[in-house]
Amino acid sequence: MSKKITKAVFPVAGLGTRFLPATKASPKEMLPIVDKPLIQYAVEEAVAAGIDTMIFITGRSKNAIIDHFDKAYELEKELEAKGKAEILKLIQDILPPHVSCIFIRQAEALGLGNAVYCARPVIGDEPFAIILADDLIQDGARGCMAQMVKLYEEKQSSILGVERIDPSETDKYGIVSTAEFSGSAGAIELIVEKPEPDAAPSNLAVVGRYILTPAIFDKIRKTERGAGGEIQLTDAIADLLADEQVLAYEFEGKRYDCGSKLGFLIATVEHGLMHKELKDDFLAYLKNLTMSL
């Protein structure tokens, strides 16, 4: 019997050092793109894919994420008293009523592999999704994860979201080589964590979208610390390849690398131009600005 993807893991325990001092007391996942924090975009993508259990792997100074998805009684009461029904609905709709959140503390920052392993007691023997909020992917109303869930329902195998990058940047990503693609997917033959450009097997980079079978947990448990002294999820996936098929999926949509300052700024500008209330005035401002430069 085929299993469905109903759970998503959000590793949000990172320190966000590239955005200091903004992230000294506030999680990087709470940085807003226009009027929504990155983590909300990620959760909305999971909801659009039919996922109803959100598992957040948190660390110290991450309470703002918990508060964001909690009910804000005082705020809602004040908005209701002031007759601000539209804003009240906006707050109440952050999380649909059928969706539940689970928060697990990662005791020590030991890398993405360790963060995913922290979710094992909740995941059990089910396949599950992983979404990294740093990678904001715009694909209209559908969402990248919905594409991947559909492919999983057809193939019943682990899937990694991939994107073709500039070959000079392979040392920033996990890189895969694959068999010939059928449509937008191909079986992964090799995966390497952050290879130098002259040693990279391809320019197909793994980005922050995964669907994995529960077999990954035993692989993570046996994985020793790798690059950066951390337990790398890439290394565990490399071991998983020996036992089962793992697909690389070239998703539709545009990815914004919001883990970098430039990527974050680009995402902010382009999402401002998509915002139904702001786009016209913002576009006029940008035109005037560029004419004055």
Side-chain angles (χ1 to χ4, degrees), residues 14-174:
L15 297 176
T17 53
R18 282 186 284 181
F19 281 87
L20 286 170
T23 51
K24 181 176 181 290
S26 179
K28 64 177 180 178
E29 295 83 7
M30 289 299 295
L31 293 173
I33 301 295
V34 187
D35 53 5
K36 288 192 294 190
L38 283 167
I39 191 62
Q40 186 174 333
Y41 284 98
V43 168
E44 288 176 354
E45 183 180 327
V47 172
I51 293 167
D52 59 20
T53 303
M54 313 297 168
I55 305 164
F56 300 87
I57 309 303
T58 69
R60 295 180 62 224
S61 303
K62 299 289 182 170
N63 288 340
I65 295 174
I66 300 174
D67 292 342
H68 183 71
F69 292 106
D70 198 2
K71 190 172 180 66
Y73 292 99
E74 296 84 356
L75 176 59
E76 290 184 18
K77 192 171 182 178
E78 184 173 343
L79 290 172
E80 186 176 8
K82 292 182 176 180
K84 297 185 176 181
E86 188 174 342
I87 300 176
L88 175 61
K89 187 177 187 305
L90 197 66
I91 295 298
Q92 292 174 332
D93 289 349
I94 285 176
L95 200 68
H98 72 283
V99 172
S100 60
C101 294
I102 298 169
F103 300 91
I104 300 172
R105 176 67 69 89
Q106 185 182 15
E108 189 177 357
L110 292 178
L112 180 57
N114 177 253
V116 171
Y117 192 78
C118 289
R120 185 174 192 172
V122 179
I123 298 296
D125 63 352
E126 299 178 38
F128 63 100
I130 303 170
I131 298 179
L132 306 188
D134 283 0
D135 283 324
L136 173 58
I137 298 177
Q138 177 62 37
D139 180 41
R142 178 176 49 167
C144 176
M145 187 50 65
Q147 299 173 43
M148 293 175 64
V149 165
K150 181 180 179 182
L151 181 61
Y152 178 84
E153 290 172 353
E154 296 171 2
K155 303 296 185 181
Q156 295 289 303
S157 65
S158 294
I159 306 167
L160 311 185
V162 299
E163 179 179 68
R164 297 185 189 275
I165 61 166
D166 188 306
S168 67
E169 297 187 338
T170 58
D171 58 351
K172 300 176 183 178
Y173 299 87

Side-chain angles (χ1 to χ4, degrees), residues 269 273 281-293:
V269 170
L273 292 171
D281 289 343
F282 189 43
L283 179 58
Y285 163 75
L286 290 176
K287 286 180 178 178
N288 288 334
L289 178 65
T290 54
M291 288 175 63
S292 66
L293 294 177

